[in-house]
Amino acid sequence: MKIYDTLSLTLKELEGNNGKKLKMFVCGPTVYDKPHLGHAKTNIFFDVLAKFLRFKGFRVFYLMNVTDIDDKIISRANEEGRGWNDVVNTYSSSFFEIMKRLRVDSINYYAFATDYINEIIDQISRLQHKGLAYETNDGVYFSVRGFSDYGKLSHQSIDSLISGARISINENKKDPLDFALWKKRKPGEPYWDSPWGQGRPGWHIEDTAITESIFGPQYDIHGGGADLIFPHHESEIAQMEGVSGKVPMVNYWIHTGHLNVENVKMSKSLKNFVSPEDLLKRFWPEAIRIYLLSMQYRNPANYSEKGLIDGQIIAEKISLLKHRVKKYEPSVSDNSIQIINNIISPLENDMNTQEALVLINDFLKESLSIRDKSDKINGEINYVLNTIDEIFGIVHDAPLPDGAVDLILSARNEARKKGDFGTADEIRKKLGELGIRIEDSTEGSFLWW
RNA sequence: GGGUAGGUGGCAGAGCGGCUAUGCGCGGGACUGCAGAUCCCGUUUUAUUGGGGUUCGAAUCCCCACCUACCCUCCA
């Protein structure tokens, strides 16, 4: 497949021989607040990418870090008058909970920064020995002038980065772009012991310490939001390639475009964010996924409520079809495989999820238009839906207790036979309030949800 | 000032040299005890920011202009 690489600014071929291992790392959350829909956009995209790569036969190890020590966490703890650990527990649980509800379940391992303090210290020490880091009275800094490739990911020279910079002058730093590897302890702050005294790690170093200890100095895919290109990912390259001397640190840099609200980036500070938690009260997780996957992953997108409504409509169509065929044994056949290959083919071209969604829609239209299909065809449809769900996670199929469906239907049909439509309609209305739809047709009544 | 992406029908959003998606909305019809859902038809005959150019042929390639978002501070 082809995937766009930020470093080379080109579509790069990602060769796929069966069973090949892929090491994939995506920047996870800083757990100082609840996630917003922009986080969901990025995480759902990489979730689908990982699932698609696995479907293709790659053995993907998907690693995500969790930043659990940071200025924002400390200030949040002070604001709320509780320990930073408490803040971390609250918001990491919140993140995991939301991701689970959004069906983001492809991540193999979450690495918490504070579990890698030794590795971080070790990496900083090695940078220092190589002359790429220096100690000041408030911390240890990376010297960007010592790494000639600094700027290669964001396609900027060090000088042009400085000329447009809005960063405040820090007397301690040799160069304005030098960034903190280790921050020395201030009163009241959490700290760990280190060769430079008590303190805590900088932001960029935690990722390279984690990936080096789990993947080694080189790996395949590194993803994240576009806003992380500079300085975060740029600095990761400087640290890792600086320490190891091995280039490139990663083969594919994949970045997602931001979710905007009325053409302005969704962010906590602007208070223009939409919370997945609130959205989940009104929309199915599958609707949110469909909506987010209807966007080109690396273009900026504008949030629209209407898009979510569209997503919900499609999610319900898929669910309707699933409930029609779920009693048929999923059947693998040339036909079902051909349908699947057709649907996923656009993903080969830089993860064109929008086009895949169009093809899914064609499949839905085709499959929903004829009711009296053979058992074999229904089984094939069921198999296709299972595969679509495996890759995209968009088939809504929450279970009802065994026998509940038959009980409801027989009670209502009893009333209808007697001409008691008042009761029949009342049941339908109440079910609707519970999110369960009922469909009467010449072939009998049918429940779906 | 520098970097990276874009500007397509009422709206959302694809296509990236010829076949002019898709969804929503709107209008009509089929089916139904009624409703919803579903299905069919129409809305789509220059919809492709403006102006040049290349080509037999451009939304798609090139040039110029205008406009937008993001990044160069923490940020997915």
Side-chain angles (χ1 to χ4, degrees):
Chain A
M1 70 177 290
K2 290 197 184 87
I3 193 87
Y4 189 83
D5 166 48
T6 309
L7 181 61
S8 62
L9 301 180
T10 57
L11 289 173
K12 276 178 78 173
E13 196 63 43
L14 205 163
E15 296 293 346
N17 30 14
N18 227 294
K20 183 181 174 182
K21 287 183 186 172
L22 278 183
K23 297 168 182 172
M24 170 166 153
F25 176 79
V26 175
C27 284
T30 300
V31 284
Y32 70 100
D33 207 342
K34 292 180 180 177
H36 65 232
L37 195 61
H39 298 101
K41 177 177 184 284
T42 293
N43 283 293
I44 287 170
F45 169 73
F46 284 109
D47 182 55
V48 174
L49 175 63
K51 288 171 174 172
F52 177 58
L53 291 171
R54 284 178 188 145
F55 179 81
K56 283 168 64 68
F58 288 107
R59 288 157 62 201
V60 179
F61 190 94
Y62 182 178
L63 172 66
M64 180 172 278
N65 73 306
V66 176
T67 301
D68 60 349
I69 183 65
D70 162 272
D71 292 353
K72 283 185 175 168
I73 292 169
I74 294 168
S75 63
R76 187 74 184 219
N78 290 337
E79 277 167 30
E80 298 183 1
R82 53 179 175 152
W84 66 278
N85 259 318
D86 240 24
V87 170
V88 166
N89 284 150
T90 301
Y91 296 111
S92 57
S93 307
S94 164
F95 179 82
F96 295 141
E97 160 76 15
I98 297 286
M99 288 306 133
K100 188 180 171 194
R101 290 181 65 193
L102 289 173
R103 305 186 55 184
V104 172
D105 54 8
S106 55
I107 297 157
N108 292 288
Y109 184 65
Y110 285 102
F112 284 70
T114 57
D115 290 334
Y116 291 82
I117 296 292
N118 291 147
E119 288 80 358
I120 288 168
I121 289 170
D122 178 64
Q123 202 173 76
I124 297 172
S125 299
R126 281 180 286 147
L127 280 167
Q128 208 174 6
H129 288 138
K130 289 215 163 195
L132 288 168
Y134 58 91
E135 185 177 356
T136 71
N137 55 24
D138 68 342
V140 180
Y141 289 87
F142 185 92
S143 179
V144 296
R145 295 286 178 186
F147 185 75
S148 59
D149 275 347
Y150 199 78
K152 70 177 174 182
L153 184 68
S154 51
H155 306 283
Q156 294 263 69
S157 68
I158 292 180
D159 292 328
S160 66
L161 281 165
I162 291 172
S163 70
R166 288 167 283 168
I167 43 179
S168 54
I169 307 294
N170 177 335
E171 299 287 319
N172 296 305
K173 296 200 287 187
K174 290 181 185 168
D175 201 290
L177 290 178
D178 288 353
F179 54 87
L181 297 166
W182 188 261
K183 296 178 178 183
K184 292 185 180 174
R185 178 192 177 188
K186 291 187 192 118
E189 289 186 349
Y191 62 89
W192 288 262
D193 289 322
S194 83
W196 317 281
Q198 295 172 333
R200 61 194 164 90
W203 179 36
H204 314 308
I205 196 75
E206 62 177 69
D207 285 359
T208 48
I210 287 167
T211 55
E212 187 185 24
S213 68
I214 295 174
F215 287 158
Q218 295 181 294
Y219 54 100
D220 301 292
I221 296 171
H222 189 134
D227 56 349
L228 297 182
I229 295 170
F230 188 90
H232 190 49
H233 293 164
E234 193 73 72
S235 302
E236 282 190 47
I237 291 176
Q239 291 164 347
M240 195 66 254
E241 293 185 0
V243 153
S244 71
K246 289 180 180 164
V247 180
M249 168 189 169
V250 306
N251 288 126
Y252 306 91
W253 284 97
I254 303 173
H255 292 99
T256 54
H258 277 94
L259 192 59
N260 298 153
V261 177
E262 285 164 11
N263 290 320
V264 179
K265 186 170 86 167
M266 181 180 290
S267 73
K268 293 284 177 183
S269 47
L270 293 171
K271 294 195 164 62
N272 64 347
F273 60 90
V274 180
S275 132
E277 202 174 8
D278 290 342
L279 252 27
L280 282 164
K281 289 173 188 160
R282 294 187 293 139
F283 300 101
W284 290 355
E286 291 79 9
I288 296 172
R289 291 178 70 98
I290 290 167
Y291 167 58
L292 263 9
L293 292 170
S294 75
M295 304 162 173
Q296 214 294 336
Y297 77 90
R298 57 191 169 86
N299 288 163
N302 248 317
Y303 171 75
S304 80
E305 175 101 11
K306 195 170 173 301
L308 278 162
I309 293 169
D310 286 4
Q312 181 67 30
I313 288 166
I314 294 169
E316 289 190 18
K317 277 192 194 183
I318 296 172
S319 176
L320 170 64
L321 182 62
K322 177 65 184 179
H323 282 87
R324 281 189 187 170
V325 300
K326 67 188 295 184
K327 66 180 174 189
Y328 300 95
E329 186 63 28
S331 153
V332 192
S333 66
D334 288 352
N335 187 236
S336 52
I337 287 170
Q338 199 191 325
I339 292 168
I340 289 162
N341 284 152
N342 182 242
I343 286 171
I344 63 173
S345 61
L347 301 184
E348 297 283 338
N349 181 209
D350 198 23
M351 290 298 285
N352 188 338
T353 49
Q354 322 78 245
E355 183 65 14
L357 248 19
V358 167
L359 297 174
I360 288 171
N361 219 72
D362 288 347
F363 164 71
L364 287 176
K365 200 165 193 169
E366 168 87 26
S367 305
L368 285 167
S369 64
I370 312 161
R371 292 297 295 267
D372 53 346
K373 293 192 193 68
S374 66
D375 288 4
K376 180 175 177 294
I377 290 177
N378 282 132
E380 287 174 354
I381 290 173
N382 198 189
Y383 179 74
V384 172
L385 284 172
N386 284 165
T387 307
I388 287 173
D389 198 43
E390 182 187 329
I391 297 171
F392 300 92
I394 56 174
V395 180
H396 186 82
D397 186 24
L400 284 190
D402 284 346
V405 174
D406 291 343
L407 186 66
I408 293 164
L409 286 179
S410 63
R412 182 165 170 276
N413 282 330
E414 193 69 23
R416 292 175 75 215
K417 267 181 207 151
K418 284 190 270 180
D420 181 5
F421 297 119
T423 300
D425 290 354
E426 185 63 19
I427 291 172
R428 180 168 63 197
K429 187 162 166 271
K430 289 272 169 60
L431 284 173
E433 286 164 7
L434 296 170
I436 298 169
R437 313 298 149 85
I438 193 158
E439 179 185 51
D440 296 323
S441 77
T442 47
E443 287 140 63
S445 299
F446 180 75
L447 276 189
W448 59 286
W449 56 93

